[in-house]
Amino acid sequence: MNIGIIGYGYWGPNLVRNFSVTKDCSVKMVCDQRTERLNVVQKLYPSINVTQNKDELISNKDIDAVVIATPVSTHFPLAKQALLEKKHVLLEKPMTDSVKHAEELIDIANKNNLLLMVDHTFLYTGAIQKMKDLIFDGSIGNINYFDSTRINLGLFQSDINVIWDLATHDISILYHLIKEKPYSVQAIGISHTDNKIENIAYLTVHYSSKIIAHFNVSWASPVKIRQMLIGGDKKMIVFNDMEESEKVKIYDTGYEIKTDEDRRKILVDYRVGDVFVPKIDRKEALAGMASDFVKGILEKKEPISNWELGLDVVKVLEAAEESIKNKGKEIIL
Amino acid sequence: MNIGIIGYGYWGPNLVRNFSVTKDCSVKMVCDQRTERLNVVQKLYPSINVTQNKDELISNKDIDAVVIATPVSTHFPLAKQALLEKKHVLLEKPMTDSVKHAEELIDIANKNNLLLMVDHTFLYTGAIQKMKDLIFDGSIGNINYFDSTRINLGLFQSDINVIWDLATHDISILYHLIKEKPYSVQAIGISHTDNKIENIAYLTVHYSSKIIAHFNVSWASPVKIRQMLIGGDKKMIVFNDMEESEKVKIYDTGYEIKTDEDRRKILVDYRVGDVFVPKIDRKEALAGMASDFVKGILEKKEPISNWELGLDVVKVLEAAEESIKNKGKEIIL
Amino acid sequence: MNIGIIGYGYWGPNLVRNFSVTKDCSVKMVCDQRTERLNVVQKLYPSINVTQNKDELISNKDIDAVVIATPVSTHFPLAKQALLEKKHVLLEKPMTDSVKHAEELIDIANKNNLLLMVDHTFLYTGAIQKMKDLIFDGSIGNINYFDSTRINLGLFQSDINVIWDLATHDISILYHLIKEKPYSVQAIGISHTDNKIENIAYLTVHYSSKIIAHFNVSWASPVKIRQMLIGGDKKMIVFNDMEESEKVKIYDTGYEIKTDEDRRKILVDYRVGDVFVPKIDRKEALAGMASDFVKGILEKKEPISNWELGLDVVKVLEAAEESIKNKGKEIIL
Amino acid sequence: MNIGIIGYGYWGPNLVRNFSVTKDCSVKMVCDQRTERLNVVQKLYPSINVTQNKDELISNKDIDAVVIATPVSTHFPLAKQALLEKKHVLLEKPMTDSVKHAEELIDIANKNNLLLMVDHTFLYTGAIQKMKDLIFDGSIGNINYFDSTRINLGLFQSDINVIWDLATHDISILYHLIKEKPYSVQAIGISHTDNKIENIAYLTVHYSSKIIAHFNVSWASPVKIRQMLIGGDKKMIVFNDMEESEKVKIYDTGYEIKTDEDRRKILVDYRVGDVFVPKIDRKEALAGMASDFVKGILEKKEPISNWELGLDVVKVLEAAEESIKNKGKEIIL
């Protein structure tokens, strides 16, 4: 099975490197508008064809699947063209720049029985997989909250704001880890640049149950923080992605509420107990994503990061943007 | 000058210990309803009188000033009684449980020319004083944001929510460090207990300028985090109060926005540079607060943590509570 | 039971504070040559008598036990005088400045049926007690090594070198945790001051078995490090005393040696697995030491930090000093 | 200029990847005895020839330089054969398994005017280069000590002990950072395996001046520590290679010794002051090493990691092994 990859910028090289060593597939062609980027491809992979013309890649008869690693705004037209050429499509996250576009792509893919998948790489990390196991086997208990901080001194994007850029990761993880679907979204953001694109934003996701999720994203932090807290009524998880050897910690710190008659006081019986740091599988996440895409095509296996999840993420992103424009108004999903 | 202290629970012992060694004053009497607490006082300080009767302390002719370290709901009646007895008053934070109560106390204190002060201890720490110097001497530049996280597995209060309990610290620091007065407040909170008192809350404070302040407070975090990020257009500060030796770090990580004609792209010229970790004065903050109170009375010196700041804090807390009740509605201050 | 404390310098205040609240005993008198230090005692503890004359304290008929917190060189004469006055004695660590002196004190104490104890406070910390439990219940397996680093920018002592000052702690812990007695000692040290007292030293303790213990101590490190690694053939312990909430970590990182015929290679089957961070009791260690001393006298209970351990520590310290003088020569204990 | 690389095990892939993109050279052939390793090369680099026969590579007329990344024991025969075939040679560290072998290679290289270089990659890291600048420009002052800890749960080698495996890095850094040549070496080691190869060792290097260097290396530590302390009389450096963003910290923590007549006390005037964390160049060290090798051949530029340094390192390693065999006896270099 032959793959063509469009876009050899920041993420493209990782995709080429991983698909090059993925079982049952090979990278046939890479497309990028910048000749200097194509020269890099040729020096590293003399056997891969290169082109500046996307049509040459998309319409290539030997190519079975197209991987799109370009700016979000171009995802829709490129993916649509590829699907109409009967190619399977893998899109970089976020899937598209609007729900409408995502739904149109899904419709075409389904009609033509093609695989449409989104590269939410995080879902393939050992850390997230371990956290999913712990949550789904009941170890954590009922989830009370999800609190994520993803801040750093980032490249200010000119086409999307910090929520579309950074929160996308955390929202995909939220949908992956929590079965219940969110009820509504509220967001506040601010732009410190003259193009009015938010570089700092705070997103809150509400559930019909007692779960609350909060996301703190910023391109303007001097320190890089990648932290996620998940609180259950049995145990709590702290995921610190900046930690080399102890990314996931499980805290036996539940508390029990006992109330006496006069309701004057709540006694909290602390069980601040031991901490458990499970061993995390270190395999490269992107390799798992690549093989999931290939198996999705060759074995018709439902991928983990499927289009339903990709669409859910875009729905939250779109709602967040609307809420920001309305000063934090609650937007029902 | 003689001091009487009401309340010997969690904070009271620290107050007694510090006022005992403060120049020009001595602790005359301690009041607490629990005999076992009074026994501890007598074993440690045989020279201090103890009583279970607040009136005995407040009306004591030898006592010049009353320090009140009791639950927030009792601050107003106790302080009012003491002021009417012509005693100077030091209140634990937050000042009162409502703006109305705070303003009534201020009015009585002014009429009687008495010192009314609030113990916002943080303002007397070496770390905050260093940060204030750096901000006020212009090293940081114009402030863009203030982002605070104060979470831990805390004692669930039965009378006040997590904002009144924890955010109080950060709001006092915000007012201390930033000259501009906030414009409005938005807050979201959730309660996981059956008494409906929020144990997790997210507070956003808006300014007329481009400053935004955000506070993440929780009683339900397995890890204790005390972190504050302050972003200026010249430098950024990270204050990590859990750090023993490097509480305050100054990052030379400003960025300059350059825009080209077609507006297609913003180039961010990173100056992610050196980090500077200033030496912080390690003296006990509470000792500074105690002496500030004594000097405020004996030398008529305006204290750092004065009633104006105490009132400002209560205004934000009250507005936050109203916003939570209205699903994050913006409340103008 | 009445206690007299000699020396109110760095450690004395902690001893007074803890013995003041210890059951079945009270602090009767404090002795120090510096009047300004005695003034502090009187301000904090008006009920405690103070004196600059050690004889007044030691010969005081109401005093049952003498606690000695003075420079090491004065331990022997003061303790000897107190024992001859039939007082029980608690000595700060290290017990004495020589094995000969320690043995003479032990002899007098035994003859007079008095308790002679050394304040190796660390043995009473929750962390060391947890580590001892884990080692003695077999969880760690057979110990292979003990590796300690205790370095900081310390006060250069004028009477003892860095080994007597810092390694004393680690040697007492070593004897407390490992049943087997050491076989020999090697040490290397260097002095960067003109008084020839070593400020950096490296100590190695050998055992007849395969255990090796190494101690890195320094007064000249810019960072404060308090770290201990204990390697067993089942599990390994890392004790980081600078860590607030995770002082003790248990690593499931054993390895099994499998050898094939031609002996050309050793295959190491890594079991680098989970990490376990047990909850540590946070009670103040010094309180446990104080009550252990009092119980040792009133209930004839053998204290944890007894004179045998105190003597063993001095033997290693003396041997280390001899080895340093002989360029690291092995000294048999 | 064409390069042939022998050994495609742990380090080989990094060498191939870096030399593939180094200016003015290309990788012509890779040799490894394992066909599965050669298959990996062909999948990633179809244009590189592969062989299982070292002679085919070494005698290849198109190849100008041979890079040897095989076990230490094979360095000498392979390098000698290559040099006699008039090829320039780059050896993985350590240079050879004995001083005698190293000197013979140097002799052949000089006679044939060929470049002989050793890959001490660390010397090309931004961190070490920053530290060298700070030391050589006098900022640190006169060096008092060098203290290194390099421990982890490592692959037990069957041909060399832990000093040859791990301390090699630190010794090369020591020679790179300190101009003065060491005077003598002492080492203690222990083996917990039945092949008698030390898996834990402590190495001390003495200087004629007051400098002392100590190295703690272990294959049996549950945690990975890569830490280096360098103490000068002006400032001190802490290099923590496990730190992502703050690898090098400069402490303004000098101390001045003032002595009074009676010599009873040394007063240490602490200047425990600010900490400075310089920005470190993040470029890949191996790329710098590769280009240094190529420039060494094409431009006759003296490489940083030259054979003199490679030889010095082997001298210390050999002396350390002799000292271990003699229970820590001092070996004069």
Side-chain angles (χ1 to χ4, degrees):
Chain A
M1 172 185 144
N2 292 323
I3 286 179
I5 296 176
I6 304 178
Y8 197 75
Y10 165 66
W11 198 240
N14 298 327
L15 291 164
V16 174
R17 178 168 51 79
N18 277 278
F19 274 108
S20 295
V21 292
T22 299
K23 195 162 154 303
D24 300 329
C25 85
S26 68
V27 180
K28 182 83 176 176
M29 189 181 287
V30 169
C31 170
D32 197 285
Q33 291 167 352
R34 299 155 294 186
T35 51
E36 72 275 16
R37 299 300 299 153
L38 296 180
N39 295 340
V40 175
V41 176
Q42 281 181 306
K43 186 152 180 53
L44 283 172
Y45 310 93
S47 60
I48 297 180
N49 304 318
V50 298
T51 176
Q52 288 180 274
N53 175 1
K54 66 175 174 50
D55 301 334
E56 184 187 343
L57 183 149
I58 295 175
S59 58
N60 186 308
K61 293 281 156 271
D62 301 341
I63 289 178
D64 310 290
V66 176
V67 176
I68 299 168
T70 56
V72 184
S73 53
T74 66
H75 284 188
F76 174 69
L78 289 170
K80 182 174 180 179
Q81 180 181 354
L83 289 167
L84 293 175
E85 289 274 1
K86 305 286 181 290
K87 313 292 191 193
H88 303 285
V89 169
L90 173 69
L91 280 164
E92 260 323 296
K93 63 95 208 165
M95 188 179 187
T96 57
D97 54 9
S98 75
V99 173
K100 186 175 156 303
H101 281 159
E103 288 172 335
E104 183 173 340
L105 293 180
I106 292 162
D107 186 53
I108 303 173
N110 290 344
K111 281 208 181 68
N112 294 277
N113 194 22
L114 294 164
L115 177 63
L116 176 63
M117 174 170 155
V118 185
D119 172 17
H120 286 295
T121 317
F122 264 102
L123 309 189
Y124 296 89
T125 58
I128 298 298
Q129 288 174 350
K130 170 66 71 174
M131 287 158 70
K132 180 162 192 177
D133 294 343
L134 290 163
I135 292 172
F136 279 58
D137 73 12
S139 313
I140 307 306
N142 299 313
I143 303 301
N144 283 332
Y145 69 87
F146 184 102
D147 183 287
S148 172
T149 305
R150 184 176 298 273
I151 61 179
N152 56 269
L153 203 67
L155 175 65
F156 280 52
Q157 308 283 334
S158 58
D159 53 345
I160 57 172
N161 69 15
V162 69
I163 285 184
W164 283 82
D165 180 34
L166 297 183
T168 301
H169 295 298
D170 304 295
I171 298 165
S172 70
I173 294 169
L174 180 72
Y175 271 91
H176 186 62
L177 295 182
I178 297 179
K179 283 208 196 78
E180 183 181 354
K181 295 282 183 183
Y183 168 73
S184 66
V185 169
Q186 286 181 280
I188 295 170
I190 188 166
S191 171
H192 292 107
T193 62
D194 53 7
N195 67 350
K196 303 276 170 289
I197 292 174
E198 293 78 14
N199 57 292
I200 294 178
Y202 303 103
L203 170 65
T204 307
V205 174
H206 299 280
Y207 286 76
S208 311
S209 71
K210 269 195 170 178
I211 302 174
I212 187 167
H214 185 264
F215 306 84
N216 178 338
V217 287
S218 170
W219 284 329
S221 164
V223 283
K224 186 174 184 180
I225 298 178
R226 297 283 184 263
Q227 182 175 266
M228 209 173 277
L229 275 62
I230 301 178
D233 55 15
K234 281 187 193 166
K235 291 188 193 302
M236 297 183 186
I237 300 174
V238 175
F239 170 41
N240 181 352
D241 205 14
M242 302 308 292
E243 260 283 341
E244 202 35 62
S245 61
E246 301 187 349
K247 287 183 184 295
V248 176
K249 292 183 176 180
I250 316 301
Y251 290 76
D252 178 13
T253 50
Y255 41 83
E256 285 162 2
I257 309 300
K258 308 201 191 84
T259 52
D260 48 11
E261 281 56 48
D262 58 4
R263 313 290 305 139
R264 277 186 45 250
K265 206 174 179 325
I266 291 179
L267 297 167
V268 177
D269 167 24
Y270 292 97
R271 288 188 289 105
V272 179
D274 302 330
V275 181
F276 176 68
V277 189
K279 185 185 175 187
I280 301 297
D281 186 343
R282 286 181 158 288
K283 66 165 169 30
E284 184 171 9
L286 199 50
M289 191 285 298
S291 111
D292 204 29
F293 180 61
V294 172
K295 287 198 180 118
I297 295 168
L298 300 181
E299 306 171 13
K300 300 288 175 207
K301 177 180 159 301
E302 177 68 13
I304 291 172
S305 180
N306 57 24
W307 63 256
E308 286 86 350
L309 188 138
L311 174 62
D312 281 333
V313 170
V314 176
K315 283 179 180 171
V316 173
L317 295 172
E318 207 174 65
E321 201 153 13
E322 185 184 343
S323 180
I324 287 178
K325 287 189 178 46
N326 294 278
K327 311 193 73 175
K329 175 168 174 257
E330 180 175 29
I331 307 297
I332 311 301
L333 288 167
Chain B
M1 171 185 144
N2 292 323
I3 287 178
I5 298 176
I6 304 177
Y8 197 76
Y10 164 68
W11 198 241
N14 298 327
L15 291 164
V16 173
R17 178 169 50 80
N18 277 277
F19 275 108
S20 296
V21 292
T22 299
K23 197 163 153 301
D24 301 329
C25 85
S26 68
V27 180
K28 182 82 176 176
M29 190 182 287
V30 170
C31 171
D32 197 285
Q33 292 167 352
R34 298 155 294 186
T35 51
E36 71 275 15
R37 298 301 299 152
L38 296 179
N39 294 339
V40 175
V41 175
Q42 282 181 305
K43 187 151 180 54
L44 284 172
Y45 310 94
S47 61
I48 298 180
N49 303 318
V50 298
T51 177
Q52 289 181 273
N53 175 359
K54 66 174 175 51
D55 301 334
E56 185 188 341
L57 184 149
I58 294 174
S59 59
N60 186 307
K61 293 280 155 273
D62 301 340
I63 289 178
D64 310 289
V66 177
V67 176
I68 299 168
T70 56
V72 185
S73 54
T74 66
H75 284 189
F76 173 69
L78 289 170
K80 182 174 180 178
Q81 181 181 352
L83 289 167
L84 293 175
E85 289 276 1
K86 305 287 182 289
K87 314 291 191 193
H88 303 286
V89 170
L90 173 69
L91 281 164
E92 261 322 296
K93 62 94 207 166
M95 188 179 186
T96 56
D97 54 8
S98 74
V99 173
K100 186 175 154 304
H101 281 159
E103 289 172 336
E104 183 173 338
L105 293 181
I106 292 163
D107 186 53
I108 303 173
N110 290 345
K111 281 209 181 66
N112 295 277
N113 195 23
L114 295 164
L115 177 63
L116 175 63
M117 172 170 157
V118 185
D119 173 17
H120 285 295
T121 317
F122 265 103
L123 309 189
Y124 296 88
T125 58
I128 298 298
Q129 287 173 351
K130 171 65 71 175
M131 288 158 70
K132 180 162 192 176
D133 294 343
L134 290 163
I135 291 172
F136 279 58
D137 73 13
S139 313
I140 308 305
N142 299 313
I143 303 301
N144 283 332
Y145 69 87
F146 184 102
D147 184 286
S148 172
T149 305
R150 185 177 298 272
I151 62 180
N152 56 268
L153 203 67
L155 174 66
F156 281 53
Q157 308 282 336
S158 58
D159 53 345
I160 55 172
N161 69 15
V162 69
I163 285 184
W164 282 81
D165 180 33
L166 297 182
T168 302
H169 294 299
D170 304 295
I171 298 165
S172 70
I173 294 169
L174 180 72
Y175 271 91
H176 186 61
L177 295 182
I178 297 180
K179 283 208 195 79
E180 182 182 354
K181 295 281 183 184
Y183 168 72
S184 66
V185 169
Q186 286 181 281
I188 296 170
I190 188 166
S191 171
H192 292 107
T193 63
D194 52 7
N195 67 351
K196 302 278 171 288
I197 292 174
E198 291 80 13
N199 55 293
I200 294 177
Y202 303 103
L203 171 65
T204 307
V205 174
H206 299 279
Y207 287 75
S208 310
S209 70
K210 268 194 172 180
I211 302 174
I212 187 168
H214 186 265
F215 306 83
N216 178 339
V217 287
S218 171
W219 284 330
S221 164
V223 284
K224 186 174 185 180
I225 298 178
R226 296 282 184 265
Q227 183 175 265
M228 209 172 277
L229 275 62
I230 301 178
D233 54 15
K234 282 187 193 165
K235 291 189 192 305
M236 297 184 186
I237 299 174
V238 175
F239 170 41
N240 180 352
D241 205 15
M242 302 308 292
E243 261 283 342
E244 202 36 62
S245 61
E246 302 187 349
K247 286 183 184 296
V248 176
K249 292 183 175 182
I250 316 301
Y251 290 76
D252 178 13
T253 50
Y255 42 83
E256 285 162 2
I257 308 300
K258 309 201 190 83
T259 51
D260 49 9
E261 281 58 44
D262 57 4
R263 313 291 301 143
R264 274 183 48 249
K265 208 173 178 326
I266 292 179
L267 297 168
V268 176
D269 168 23
Y270 292 98
R271 288 189 287 103
V272 179
D274 302 330
V275 181
F276 175 69
V277 189
K279 184 185 176 187
I280 300 297
D281 186 343
R282 286 180 159 289
K283 66 165 168 28
E284 185 170 8
L286 200 50
M289 190 286 297
S291 109
D292 204 28
F293 179 61
V294 173
K295 287 196 180 123
I297 294 167
L298 301 180
E299 307 170 13
K300 300 288 174 205
K301 176 179 159 299
E302 177 69 13
I304 291 172
S305 180
N306 57 24
W307 62 255
E308 286 87 347
L309 187 138
L311 174 62
D312 281 334
V313 170
V314 175
K315 282 180 180 171
V316 173
L317 295 172
E318 207 173 66
E321 200 153 14
E322 185 185 345
S323 180
I324 286 177
K325 287 189 178 47
N326 294 278
K327 311 193 74 176
K329 175 168 175 260
E330 180 175 29
I331 309 297
I332 311 301
L333 287 168
Chain C
M1 175 185 138
N2 292 323
I3 286 178
I5 297 176
I6 303 177
Y8 197 75
Y10 166 66
W11 198 240
N14 298 326
L15 291 164
V16 174
R17 177 168 51 79
N18 277 278
F19 275 108
S20 297
V21 292
T22 299
K23 196 163 154 300
D24 299 330
C25 85
S26 69
V27 179
K28 183 85 175 172
M29 189 181 287
V30 168
C31 171
D32 196 286
Q33 292 167 353
R34 298 156 295 185
T35 50
E36 71 274 17
R37 298 302 297 153
L38 297 180
N39 294 341
V40 175
V41 176
Q42 282 182 306
K43 187 153 180 53
L44 283 171
Y45 309 93
S47 61
I48 297 180
N49 303 319
V50 298
T51 177
Q52 289 180 273
N53 175 1
K54 65 174 175 52
D55 301 334
E56 184 187 343
L57 184 149
I58 294 174
S59 58
N60 187 308
K61 293 281 154 271
D62 301 342
I63 289 178
D64 309 290
V66 176
V67 176
I68 298 168
T70 55
V72 186
S73 54
T74 66
H75 284 188
F76 174 69
L78 289 170
K80 183 175 180 178
Q81 180 181 352
L83 289 166
L84 294 175
E85 290 274 1
K86 306 287 180 292
K87 313 294 191 193
H88 302 284
V89 170
L90 173 68
L91 281 164
E92 260 324 296
K93 62 93 207 165
M95 187 179 187
T96 55
D97 54 8
S98 75
V99 173
K100 188 176 154 302
H101 281 160
E103 288 173 336
E104 185 174 338
L105 293 180
I106 292 163
D107 186 53
I108 303 173
N110 290 345
K111 282 208 182 68
N112 295 279
N113 195 23
L114 294 164
L115 178 63
L116 175 64
M117 174 171 155
V118 185
D119 172 16
H120 285 295
T121 317
F122 265 103
L123 309 189
Y124 297 88
T125 59
I128 298 298
Q129 287 173 350
K130 171 64 73 174
M131 288 159 69
K132 180 162 193 178
D133 295 343
L134 290 163
I135 292 172
F136 279 59
D137 73 13
S139 314
I140 308 305
N142 300 311
I143 304 301
N144 283 331
Y145 68 87
F146 184 101
D147 184 287
S148 172
T149 304
R150 185 176 298 272
I151 61 180
N152 55 267
L153 204 66
L155 175 66
F156 280 53
Q157 309 283 334
S158 58
D159 52 346
I160 55 171
N161 68 17
V162 69
I163 286 184
W164 283 83
D165 181 34
L166 297 182
T168 302
H169 294 299
D170 305 295
I171 298 165
S172 70
I173 294 169
L174 179 72
Y175 271 91
H176 186 60
L177 295 182
I178 297 180
K179 283 206 194 81
E180 183 183 355
K181 295 281 182 184
Y183 168 73
S184 66
V185 168
Q186 285 182 282
I188 296 170
I190 188 167
S191 171
H192 292 107
T193 62
D194 53 9
N195 68 349
K196 302 278 170 289
I197 292 174
E198 293 79 14
N199 55 292
I200 294 177
Y202 303 104
L203 171 66
T204 306
V205 174
H206 300 280
Y207 287 76
S208 310
S209 71
K210 269 195 170 178
I211 302 174
I212 187 167
H214 186 264
F215 306 83
N216 178 339
V217 287
S218 170
W219 285 330
S221 164
V223 283
K224 186 174 185 181
I225 298 179
R226 296 283 183 263
Q227 183 174 266
M228 210 172 277
L229 275 63
I230 301 177
D233 55 15
K234 281 189 193 163
K235 292 189 191 305
M236 297 183 186
I237 300 174
V238 175
F239 170 40
N240 181 352
D241 206 14
M242 302 308 291
E243 260 282 341
E244 202 36 61
S245 60
E246 302 187 349
K247 287 182 183 295
V248 176
K249 293 183 175 182
I250 315 301
Y251 290 76
D252 178 14
T253 50
Y255 42 83
E256 285 161 2
I257 308 301
K258 308 198 191 86
T259 50
D260 50 10
E261 282 56 47
D262 57 3
R263 315 290 302 136
R264 273 185 48 249
K265 207 172 178 328
I266 291 178
L267 298 166
V268 178
D269 167 23
Y270 292 97
R271 289 188 289 103
V272 180
D274 302 331
V275 181
F276 176 69
V277 189
K279 185 184 177 187
I280 300 297
D281 186 344
R282 288 182 158 286
K283 67 167 167 29
E284 184 172 10
L286 200 50
M289 191 285 298
S291 107
D292 204 30
F293 179 61
V294 172
K295 286 195 180 123
I297 295 166
L298 301 181
E299 307 171 12
K300 300 290 174 205
K301 176 178 160 301
E302 177 70 12
I304 290 172
S305 180
N306 57 24
W307 61 256
E308 286 88 350
L309 188 138
L311 174 62
D312 280 334
V313 170
V314 176
K315 283 180 180 171
V316 173
L317 295 172
E318 206 172 68
E321 200 153 14
E322 185 184 344
S323 179
I324 287 177
K325 286 187 179 46
N326 294 277
K327 310 192 71 172
K329 176 166 172 261
E330 180 176 29
I331 308 297
I332 311 302
L333 288 166
Chain D
M1 176 185 137
N2 292 323
I3 286 178
I5 297 176
I6 303 178
Y8 197 74
Y10 165 65
W11 198 241
N14 298 327
L15 291 164
V16 173
R17 178 169 50 79
N18 277 277
F19 276 108
S20 296
V21 293
T22 299
K23 194 162 155 303
D24 300 331
C25 86
S26 68
V27 179
K28 182 83 176 174
M29 189 181 288
V30 168
C31 171
D32 197 285
Q33 291 168 353
R34 298 156 295 185
T35 50
E36 72 275 17
R37 299 299 298 151
L38 297 180
N39 294 339
V40 174
V41 176
Q42 282 182 306
K43 188 153 180 47
L44 283 172
Y45 311 95
S47 61
I48 297 180
N49 303 319
V50 299
T51 176
Q52 289 181 273
N53 175 1
K54 65 175 174 51
D55 301 334
E56 184 187 343
L57 184 149
I58 294 175
S59 58
N60 186 308
K61 292 282 153 274
D62 301 341
I63 288 178
D64 309 289
V66 176
V67 177
I68 298 168
T70 56
V72 185
S73 53
T74 65
H75 284 189
F76 173 69
L78 290 170
K80 183 175 181 179
Q81 181 181 351
L83 289 167
L84 294 176
E85 288 276 1
K86 306 287 182 289
K87 313 293 190 192
H88 303 285
V89 169
L90 173 69
L91 280 164
E92 259 325 296
K93 63 94 208 164
M95 187 179 188
T96 56
D97 54 9
S98 75
V99 172
K100 187 176 153 303
H101 281 159
E103 288 174 335
E104 183 173 340
L105 293 180
I106 292 163
D107 186 54
I108 304 173
N110 290 344
K111 282 209 181 68
N112 295 278
N113 194 23
L114 295 164
L115 178 63
L116 176 63
M117 174 169 156
V118 186
D119 172 17
H120 285 295
T121 316
F122 265 102
L123 309 189
Y124 296 89
T125 58
I128 297 298
Q129 287 173 351
K130 170 65 71 175
M131 288 159 69
K132 179 163 193 177
D133 295 343
L134 290 163
I135 292 172
F136 279 59
D137 73 12
S139 314
I140 308 306
N142 299 312
I143 303 302
N144 282 332
Y145 69 87
F146 184 102
D147 183 287
S148 172
T149 305
R150 186 177 296 272
I151 62 180
N152 55 269
L153 204 68
L155 175 66
F156 280 54
Q157 308 283 335
S158 58
D159 53 345
I160 55 172
N161 70 15
V162 69
I163 286 185
W164 282 82
D165 181 33
L166 297 183
T168 302
H169 294 298
D170 304 296
I171 298 165
S172 70
I173 294 169
L174 179 72
Y175 271 90
H176 186 61
L177 295 183
I178 297 180
K179 283 206 195 79
E180 182 182 355
K181 295 281 182 185
Y183 168 73
S184 66
V185 169
Q186 286 181 279
I188 296 170
I190 187 167
S191 171
H192 292 107
T193 62
D194 53 7
N195 68 349
K196 302 277 170 290
I197 291 174
E198 292 79 13
N199 56 291
I200 294 177
Y202 304 103
L203 171 66
T204 307
V205 174
H206 299 280
Y207 287 76
S208 310
S209 72
K210 269 194 169 178
I211 302 174
I212 187 169
H214 185 265
F215 306 84
N216 178 340
V217 288
S218 169
W219 285 330
S221 164
V223 283
K224 186 175 184 179
I225 298 178
R226 297 282 184 263
Q227 182 174 266
M228 208 172 279
L229 275 63
I230 301 178
D233 55 15
K234 282 189 194 164
K235 291 188 191 305
M236 297 183 186
I237 300 173
V238 175
F239 170 40
N240 181 352
D241 205 14
M242 301 308 291
E243 261 283 341
E244 202 36 62
S245 62
E246 301 186 350
K247 287 182 184 295
V248 176
K249 293 183 176 182
I250 315 301
Y251 291 77
D252 178 14
T253 51
Y255 42 84
E256 284 160 4
I257 308 300
K258 308 199 191 87
T259 51
D260 49 11
E261 280 58 46
D262 57 5
R263 313 292 301 138
R264 274 184 50 249
K265 207 172 179 325
I266 292 179
L267 297 168
V268 178
D269 167 24
Y270 292 96
R271 289 188 288 103
V272 180
D274 303 331
V275 180
F276 177 68
V277 189
K279 185 184 178 187
I280 301 296
D281 185 344
R282 287 181 158 288
K283 68 168 165 29
E284 184 171 9
L286 199 51
M289 191 285 298
S291 107
D292 204 30
F293 179 61
V294 173
K295 285 194 179 126
I297 295 167
L298 301 181
E299 307 171 13
K300 300 288 175 208
K301 176 178 161 301
E302 178 68 12
I304 291 172
S305 181
N306 57 25
W307 61 256
E308 286 87 350
L309 189 138
L311 174 61
D312 280 334
V313 171
V314 176
K315 282 179 179 170
V316 173
L317 294 172
E318 207 173 69
E321 200 153 15
E322 186 185 344
S323 179
I324 287 177
K325 286 188 178 47
N326 294 276
K327 310 192 72 173
K329 176 168 172 258
E330 180 175 28
I331 308 296
I332 312 301
L333 288 166

